[in-house]
Amino acid sequence: MTRHDSEAGILRCRCLTPPGLAGLSVFRVEGREALAFLSARVDRPLPQTGQLRLMRLIHEGEWVDEVLVSQPTALTYEISTHGGLAVREAVCRLLRAGEPHQPEFDGGWGAQGKIAGEAMAALSAAWSLRGAEFFLALGSGTLDAWLLRLASDLNLQGRPSEVHRGLHDLLARANYGRAMAHGVSVLLLGAPNAGKSTLANRLLRRERSIVADEAGTTRDLVEEATSFLGYPFRLVDAAGLREASDSVEQEGVRRATAAAKDAGIRLFVVDGSQPEWKASIFESDRRDSGALAVLTKRDLPHRLSVDEVEMALGVPVVEISDGDEGGLARLRAQILYRSPFAQPQAPPILTPFLDSHVRQLEESLKHLERGNFSEARDSLLSLVASGNQNRGENEPHEKGLHQHR
């Protein structure tokens, strides 16, 4: 953000840390008026160039935070505050001199364009190694530069066929990018006491869902972010599918059934120690690439065979038993195989990852196919034009399940 312009120079206050959870936040104050502006908001003399000083930020006589202030250059100060949304908001208020707006994150990590800035913001919310690598690569600005090149080709003597192919290639990789941004949802479905919650806890490597002998313990969707082989997933444990007697469990069953329609991957959990089971409880379309059956409790006497379950459900079956890490490894590999991450990908630096990217690319392609080159170019340029990022699309904990098939 720009704080003040004058003949003497410019004062700019920026937040360099993307939105999200972090151990600290870094702000930059720069310009000819930086010394006077910041001196009025700290309790000690500011450091000289190359120095680092511990001091307190003060706003309207109140202590805001204890911070580290450095002076990288003669006209620039960097302030490292404690992390946390409350501290971040308070420092933003201080730097805006009471205005109800936050200094905007503008790609302060060296982002080279709007999409690069969005990638760096998403990096702060990434919970998997592959996701972090993906957004860090996109932060180089190569996708912004590629879109500008496509837009430049759409002049009066342009090459529409090459742009058409380029847009198709970008859209073909969009599912991969959106899966990196949101994680692929993996929904566990099955009868009560089939072992869904136990399986969820083992996949998460911690006790997230309550496990009990009493049927109907899980009554709502229990969602948790995790990673398989370094890729981001969202594991969702659901209520057991049966004819429920009370209204609370009925609502849980309804939510589980509704979630099955939007889940990226569905695991049909079947208790292998029980001979009586109903394939009909899995009402959603079972014969697609996003479904997999898990035959649990194989350490108990077998009452169901893999062939029987596979024939009834029409999907591949993975056997799991208590303490069987090999079975879990095979299950994770099968989940990954059914996700967008299994598809061969071009370098991530040319992969869109937000819904807004896809909408603009589709709009540009539509204009191009109609021969409206100018409108197609404008749609591409709007993707890389400066402006506020849509932070909501980068949030790691969106409500609902995301479909990535």
Side-chain angles (χ1 to χ4, degrees):
M1 70 166 188
T2 300
R3 169 67 188 166
H4 177 66
D5 290 287
S6 69
E7 293 182 358
I10 184 172
L11 175 67
R12 302 182 68 213
C13 303
R14 296 184 292 162
C15 181
L16 305 186
T17 305
L21 301 178
L24 56 83
S25 293
V26 179
F27 296 82
R28 177 176 293 166
V29 180
E30 56 189 340
R32 293 181 182 272
E33 300 173 19
L35 175 61
F37 176 79
L38 196 54
S39 293
R41 291 161 174 80
V42 294
D43 66 339
R44 297 179 58 190
L46 291 168
Q48 297 180 353
T49 302
Q51 292 182 337
L52 184 68
R53 183 163 294 172
L54 180 68
M55 56 186 61
R56 294 179 177 181
L57 286 177
I58 307 295
H59 182 49
E60 297 180 351
E62 297 291 333
W63 175 22
V64 176
D65 191 21
E66 191 170 47
V67 302
L68 285 173
V69 180
S70 63
Q71 189 183 33
T73 64
L75 302 179
T76 302
Y77 293 93
E78 290 190 354
I79 309 167
S80 298
T81 74
H82 288 92
L85 299 179
V87 172
R88 179 190 176 97
E89 182 179 352
V91 175
C92 285
R93 284 199 304 267
L94 181 150
L95 297 182
R96 292 300 297 252
E99 296 179 25
H101 305 290
Q102 293 190 359
E104 294 174 1
F105 168 67
D106 63 351
W109 289 359
Q112 303 298 315
K114 180 183 176 183
I115 293 178
E118 291 169 332
M120 299 310 289
L123 176 62
S124 68
W127 68 86
S128 70
L129 178 59
R130 297 296 185 187
E133 293 173 344
F134 174 80
F135 291 117
L136 191 60
L138 276 169
S140 66
T142 310
L143 180 54
D144 297 83
W146 177 246
L147 291 172
L148 286 173
R149 176 182 172 181
L150 292 179
S152 68
D153 285 343
L154 289 174
N155 52 37
L156 294 178
Q157 296 82 32
R159 300 186 290 272
S161 61
E162 294 184 14
V163 177
H164 190 275
R165 183 168 58 252
L167 292 177
H168 269 291
D169 290 343
L170 289 173
L171 288 170
R173 294 192 288 271
N175 274 350
Y176 182 93
R178 288 187 292 191
M180 279 294 190
H182 303 301
V184 178
S185 61
V186 181
L187 179 66
L188 279 66
L189 295 167
N193 279 353
K196 299 185 304 300
S197 296
T198 299
L199 176 59
N201 290 339
R202 292 185 64 192
L203 287 171
L204 292 172
R205 298 185 177 91
R206 70 185 189 90
E207 298 298 318
R208 177 63 176 87
S209 295
I210 297 175
V211 177
D213 293 334
E214 179 183 353
T217 301
T218 302
R219 298 197 169 198
D220 202 354
L221 300 177
V222 179
E223 183 174 355
E224 187 76 11
T226 188
S227 64
F228 297 151
L229 303 178
Y231 291 93
F233 288 87
R234 291 197 164 281
L235 202 63
V236 187
D237 189 13
L241 303 177
R242 68 174 178 179
E243 291 292 333
S245 57
D246 66 87
S247 59
V248 176
E249 188 176 358
Q250 288 173 357
E251 176 61 18
V253 173
R254 187 198 68 77
R255 293 186 182 189
T257 303
K261 299 176 182 178
D262 297 323
I265 297 173
R266 286 156 296 133
L267 300 184
F268 301 137
V269 183
V270 180
D271 185 348
S273 67
Q274 299 296 325
E276 300 295 330
W277 72 293
K278 296 181 180 179
S280 60
I281 64 172
F282 305 111
E283 295 177 355
S284 58
D285 183 12
R286 301 189 294 267
R287 301 178 187 275
D288 63 29
S289 59
L292 185 68
V294 183
L295 197 55
T296 63
K297 306 181 183 181
R298 301 307 281 166
D299 50 315
L300 300 178
H302 296 189
R303 302 293 182 87
L304 288 176
S305 68
V306 171
D307 291 341
E308 181 181 354
V309 174
E310 187 170 337
M311 182 175 299
L313 295 179
V315 298
V317 179
V318 176
E319 295 182 276
I320 295 291
S321 63
D322 188 23
D324 177 19
E325 293 301 322
L328 281 181
R330 289 190 295 273
L331 178 57
R332 291 190 182 98
Q334 287 290 334
I335 291 173
L336 183 64
Y337 176 75
R338 283 160 176 76
S339 75
F341 305 130
Q343 303 171 7
Q345 297 297 320
I349 53 177
L350 296 179
T351 304
F353 60 92
L354 294 181
D355 292 340
S356 58
H357 300 165
V358 176
R359 287 192 298 268
Q360 289 300 114
L361 289 171
E362 289 176 340
E363 181 178 322
S364 180
L365 182 61
K366 185 183 301 182
H367 287 307
L368 181 62
E369 292 175 342
R370 292 174 178 173
N372 301 326
F373 292 177
S374 178
E375 289 83 352
R377 182 174 60 250
D378 290 345
S379 293
L380 287 178
L381 292 176
S382 68
L383 268 173
V384 296
S386 61
N388 293 337
Q389 279 112 54
N390 186 346
R391 290 175 182 154
E393 292 191 71
N394 290 326
E395 289 296 327
H397 299 293
E398 293 185 12
K399 293 182 179 180
L401 304 177
H402 302 281
Q403 183 175 3
H404 300 292
R405 297 182 185 173

